[in-house]
Amino acid sequence: MTLSMPSLQATSAGLFRSAGAAACRAEGIAPIQVNHLDVFYRDLHALEDVSVAVKPGKLTGIVGPNGAGKSTLMKAMLGLIPAAQGEVSWGQTSLLAQRERLAYLPQRAQIDWRYPATAWDVVMMGRVRKAGWLRKFSATSKRAAEAALKRVGMEDFAHRPIGQLSGGQQQRIFLARALAQEADVLFLDEPLTGVDKRTEAVLFDILHELADEGKIVLAVHHDLGPTIKNFDEVILLNREVVASGVRDEVLQSEFMQQAYGGWATNWAAAAA
Amino acid sequence: MINLLIEPLQFEFMQRSLIVAILVGLICAVVGSYLLVQRLALLGDAISHSVLPGLAIAYWAGINLFVGAFLSGMLGTTIIAWIRTKSPIKEDAAMGIVLSTFFAAGVTLITLIQKDNKIDLNHFLFGNILGVTWGDVRDTAIIAIIVILVVRLLYKELLFYTFDPEGAQVAGLPVNALNFGLMSLISLTVVASLKAVGVVLVLALLITPGATAYLLVNRLNRVMALGAGIGILSSISGMYLSYWVNVPSGPAIALVAAGFFTLAFLFSPQYGLLTQPRSAVR
Ligand SMILES: Nc1ncnc2c1ncn2[C@@H]1O[C@H](COP(=O)(O)OP(=O)(O)O)[C@@H](O)[C@H]1O
Ligand SMILES: [Mg+2]
């Protein structure tokens, strides 16, 4: 998938960066298509007939009230929770048939931060699949991990135990793990939880860069404050899809009211 | 003093015991570290109690004890997973049920067969490291080699899986196979440790040395290495205690391991009750 005219891309990068990059990779990375997904937790119908597309080259947010099923949707797409019905396809096959191209940053609470591992250990986990069975990590893998650490500004913390890092630093290490993995699809569950302003900036910079490279970036986003402006597309969820598409169209007051009930109307008015 | 340590080794049974003590201290700490970091200490206990019926049946049927015990331990693990996934019962309750049931069945079976077979239930429960045969040494060595080899070869995968199982699954690691492998390693290790510590106290060698090391170092491979050192020291000391004061080896080993843990708990530079920096108190 090399570009036939690299010089052209270089000159136009400044101007048409987003559109250009997305367009020339479009043939490489197809959108993820969720079709009629139903998920149950025993009797609880957590997701009902969810159909959405997640496009490459865009930063997509899943938004909705507490317990709306945001994490559930992400996990069901990733095969971490079985779906009662529906399918998730990506290009010619299912998403799960292409696992080595997927990376997932779980919700912070799901990780035991006292696990005896250093930041370096965690980033190298992103290289486990590429390294292959019964093998040690190659020099390439180590370089990829070093580059990833540098990109998130954590190169000086490689040898720190993860438990001794701040919440923001921990999140950046997980992002570095996903970068080291060189995945084409990145799913993040509430990446801003417990994170400082600097990490927030680094995180969105990198997510935008990844989207510009034509990758698929999907994040559960809890916060309806100004950070939502970072997303190009929004999936508004409340057990079913209330609306999805371009951010500002989805975040209209009528959809928000439908998803959140009365109180969100004020927010939508304030944000508009 | 030196004499006190060397002298017993002129007996062949003490040489055999020493080899087994070293091997068992080593693999228990290595495998137990995985239980520790996954917060599955109770699972170690459940598996160790689960091996008892298999042991009894193997004895009665005249097949290799290690094989019977291993199969029984794996059956226990499978039933725990089965109860947990097929009913609303949580893992800890499932472990409690399986542990007590298998243990009860084991004690019953051994009591039934022990008169005819001149075996002693206490040896199964609390260890009899001074009664180790060359056959036991061979079987223990084979298990130790398998365990160390598998942990070495799958180290990076098991690290990923035990730290972030969902992340590992998403990245495409076969997490069910890894989990099954880990359970097999634990069962094998428990089986290898029966002569030394017995089913009731295997947990002491699986968890305590690793937990001690966890207070002192903060990378899994170092927890394993230091834990192995502490485990070996504990099991050798326990063996000598058993020889000198004529107590079962299991309790002796468990008490020595607890002594090391207490030292680390009080004096660890990072987490020690008496030594940690103020800011580290959580
Ligand atoms: N493992 C589970 N077992 C049973 N119910 C669950 C489980 N996980 C989530 N739920 C329920 O499913 C619904 C959706 O949860 P979730 O996807 O975590 O919501 P969100 O991420 O949008 O806050 C909630 O009502 C939650 O209580
Ligand atoms: Mg959630």
Side-chain angles (χ1 to χ4, degrees), chain A residues 102-122:
Chain A
L102 313 183
Y104 172 53
L105 272 72
Q107 243 169 311
R108 278 186 56 78
Q110 282 185 24
I111 298 295
D112 173 15
W113 296 104
R114 291 186 177 200
Y115 192 103
T118 60
W120 177 256
D121 292 332
V122 176

Side-chain angles (χ1 to χ4, degrees), chain A residues 42 75 79-80 99 110-112 114-116 118 121 125 129 131-133 135 137 161-162 164 174 177, chain B residues 37 39 87 152-154 156-157 159-160 162-164 166 169-172 174 214 218-220 270:
Chain A
R42 299 191 182 281
K75 288 186 179 185
L80 296 172
R99 282 203 157 133
Q110 282 185 24
I111 298 295
D112 173 15
R114 291 186 177 200
Y115 192 103
T118 60
D121 292 332
M125 288 172 194
R129 264 317 286 282
W133 293 98
R135 286 163 193 270
F137 291 115
I162 41 150
Q164 290 175 19
F174 266 65
R177 183 179 87 179
Chain B
V37 297
R39 308 185 166 193
S87 79
R152 267 199 80 109
L153 290 176
L154 297 183
K156 63 184 191 310
E157 285 83 5
L159 180 76
F160 194 177
T162 55
F163 174 66
D164 178 9
E166 297 195 323
Q169 186 180 344
V170 168
Y214 178 82
N218 34 35
R219 252 184 127 176
L220 184 65
Q270 204 182 337

Side-chain angles (χ1 to χ4, degrees), chain A residues 41 44 46 64-73 107 189-190 220:
Chain A
Y41 292 109
L44 181 77
N66 258 328
K70 304 183 292 295
S71 300
T72 303
L73 174 58
Q107 243 169 311
D189 199 342
E190 301 203 9
V220 169

Side-chain angles (χ1 to χ4, degrees), chain B:
Chain B
M1 175 69 193
I2 294 289
N3 237 3
L4 227 51
L5 296 178
I6 301 290
E7 195 193 272
L9 289 181
Q10 61 190 305
F11 302 113
E12 208 178 273
F13 75 90
M14 279 305 272
Q15 295 165 10
R16 294 194 295 260
S17 309
L18 184 71
I19 298 172
V20 167
I22 291 172
L23 292 175
V24 162
L26 173 74
I27 57 173
C28 276
V30 169
V31 170
S33 297
Y34 285 119
L35 289 174
L36 182 81
V37 297
Q38 291 184 282
R39 308 185 166 193
L40 285 176
L42 188 59
L43 185 62
D45 211 21
I47 293 180
S48 60
H49 283 72
S50 299
V51 305
L52 208 50
L55 210 57
I57 293 171
Y59 212 103
W60 174 75
I63 51 180
N64 187 311
L65 294 189
F66 283 37
V67 172
F70 174 74
L71 292 177
S72 187
M74 291 307 291
L75 180 66
T77 325
T78 312
I79 294 179
I80 291 169
W82 192 58
I83 293 177
R84 186 175 52 85
T85 48
K86 299 291 177 202
S87 79
I89 305 290
K90 290 272 191 306
E91 186 150 40
D92 59 336
M95 287 192 263
I97 294 165
V98 168
L99 184 160
S100 50
T101 310
F102 272 66
F103 188 59
V107 170
T108 308
L109 286 173
I110 290 177
T111 313
L112 287 179
I113 63 171
Q114 75 178 353
K115 284 194 207 78
D116 307 331
N117 292 284
K118 281 192 284 174
I119 50 172
D120 185 348
L121 176 61
N122 274 323
H123 289 168
F124 291 110
L125 298 188
F126 300 116
N128 177 28
I129 200 171
L130 305 182
V132 165
T133 64
W134 281 118
D136 294 333
V137 174
R138 181 203 57 209
D139 292 350
T140 309
I142 292 172
I143 290 180
I145 290 168
I146 294 173
V147 168
I148 300 296
L149 209 65
V150 171
V151 170
R152 267 199 80 109
L153 290 176
L154 297 183
Y155 181 80
K156 63 184 191 310
E157 285 83 5
L158 287 174
L159 180 76
F160 194 177
Y161 167 66
T162 55
F163 174 66
D164 178 9
E166 297 195 323
Q169 186 180 344
V170 168
L173 287 184
V175 288
N176 289 330
L178 286 174
N179 189 50
F180 181 82
L182 210 46
M183 293 306 121
S184 308
L185 287 183
I186 292 161
S187 294
L188 274 178
T189 303
V190 164
V191 167
S193 315
L194 286 181
K195 271 279 164 73
V197 270
V199 298
V200 178
L201 292 169
V202 175
L203 198 63
L205 265 190
L206 280 174
I207 300 300
T208 315
T212 309
Y214 178 82
L215 293 175
L216 299 168
V217 292
N218 34 35
R219 252 184 127 176
L220 184 65
N221 53 1
R222 294 188 191 152
V223 170
M224 287 177 170
L226 183 59
I230 295 167
I232 290 171
L233 223 54
S234 304
S235 56
I236 293 178
S237 318
M239 178 193 78
Y240 276 107
L241 275 177
S242 179
Y243 174 80
W244 289 322
V245 283
N246 195 25
V247 291
S249 46
I253 290 171
L255 289 175
V256 176
F260 285 121
F261 177 79
T262 309
L263 288 179
F265 182 71
L266 294 177
F267 301 113
S268 151
Q270 204 182 337
Y271 303 111
L273 205 59
L274 305 177
T275 44
Q276 71 184 331
R278 269 280 139 77
S279 61
V281 182
R282 287 188 247 193

